[in-house]
Amino acid sequence: MKLELTSALLLPLLAAAVPSTRPAPEHPAAFTVMAARSASPIHFLPMNAAGQSFWLGGSPATYCPLPSDCPPGDKTVLAGSGAALSVVVPGGQQIYVSPEGALKFTQAHSAYIPPGSSYGPFAYVPGAPNQPFGHYNYTGWGASGFMACPTEDENWQVFAALKNATVPSGNVADCLGFSAIAVPSNETGNTWQYT
Ligand SMILES: *[C@@H]1O[C@H](CO)[C@@H](O)[C@H](O)[C@H]1NC(C)=O
Ligand SMILES: *[C@@H]1O[C@H](CO)[C@@H](O)[C@H](O)[C@H]1NC(C)=O
Ligand SMILES: *[C@@H]1O[C@H](CO)[C@@H](O)[C@H](O)[C@H]1NC(C)=O
């Protein structure tokens, strides 16, 4: 599920996502996230929800029980300040940081969050005036944002940027800190539920 995208390809896409003549709203109803870390394999990869975890690249894992008229479920959209996913399923799906430091989301129809998890704070930080995007931030446990950690099957899992995180390779030094670009989206409820 690894995607190699060059900045040459993605910069125009990012610019097109929100017309630059229209500054991003200070408090968008929803946003998507893209990693920025130049000269790295994660530069400009989209953040996706799958398996109750978050990943850079690939695609979201979604489910819709309706026989027809399901929302597209083709991208990962966060709601409000980024403490929840933007979904249709009643009860919603919360975002938290597990005791291991991983960015996680709750299963549909369940409020279960493991004891010792961090509930935030998460924030949508507006960009400079006239900038079409802001940043997604997590500052719980003294963290300053996020990092991506390589897994054995060559994916990048998203963690809070914490020195004491328990990461797939066993060594936090293998992880890459990244800036989480938050692109305001009008696609609230783009997905019934993430799985
Ligand atoms: C990791 O470090 C943070 C900040 O020092 C602390 O609040 C948290 O409890 C630590 N987590 C673990 C699992 O040790
Ligand atoms: C995230 O929050 C930390 C701690 O408040 C701050 O140092 C950092 O600049 C913030 N990042 C962004 C992109 O706003
Ligand atoms: C949503 O955003 C897209 C891209 O900016 C725009 O083309 C579309 O008209 C918007 N839809 C609504 C309902 O605002």
Side-chain angles (χ1 to χ4, degrees):
M1 80 183 215
K2 225 168 157 184
L3 266 175
E4 297 293 342
L5 294 173
T6 65
S7 53
L9 179 65
L10 261 160
L11 268 179
L13 274 180
L14 191 57
V18 182
S20 55
T21 47
R22 185 172 2 122
E26 290 241 332
H27 302 287
F31 61 91
T32 59
V33 174
M34 187 179 280
R37 167 135 184 171
S38 54
S40 86
I42 61 170
H43 200 36
F44 289 144
L45 291 184
M47 186 175 86
N48 280 308
Q52 289 184 257
S53 299
F54 288 88
W55 311 86
L56 297 183
S59 43
T62 65
Y63 171 75
C64 176
L66 307 182
S68 61
D69 296 325
C70 279
D74 57 350
K75 59 187 67 156
T76 299
V77 182
L78 279 64
S81 60
L85 287 160
S86 179
V87 290
V88 180
V89 66
Q93 293 185 281
Q94 285 232 206
I95 296 175
Y96 63 95
V97 173
S98 75
E100 293 74 34
L103 188 66
K104 308 284 284 183
F105 62 94
T106 57
Q107 271 178 315
H109 310 296
S110 167
Y112 179 74
I113 290 179
S117 296
S118 164
Y119 290 73
F122 295 101
Y124 173 89
V125 183
N130 296 320
Q131 212 174 33
F133 51 81
H135 286 90
Y136 180 40
N137 207 353
Y138 166 75
T139 51
W141 285 336
S144 175
F146 305 96
M147 61 185 182
C149 303
T151 64
E152 224 168 71
D153 52 357
E154 300 192 346
N155 290 309
W156 292 96
Q157 188 180 350
V158 178
F159 282 74
L162 292 164
K163 290 194 177 70
N164 61 359
T166 303
V167 302
S169 72
N171 187 355
V172 173
D174 295 334
C175 304
L176 297 176
F178 66 88
S179 176
I181 298 174
V183 183
S185 167
N186 57 14
E187 294 177 274
T188 50
N190 168 271
T191 295
W192 180 275
Q193 76 190 53
Y194 294 91
T195 60

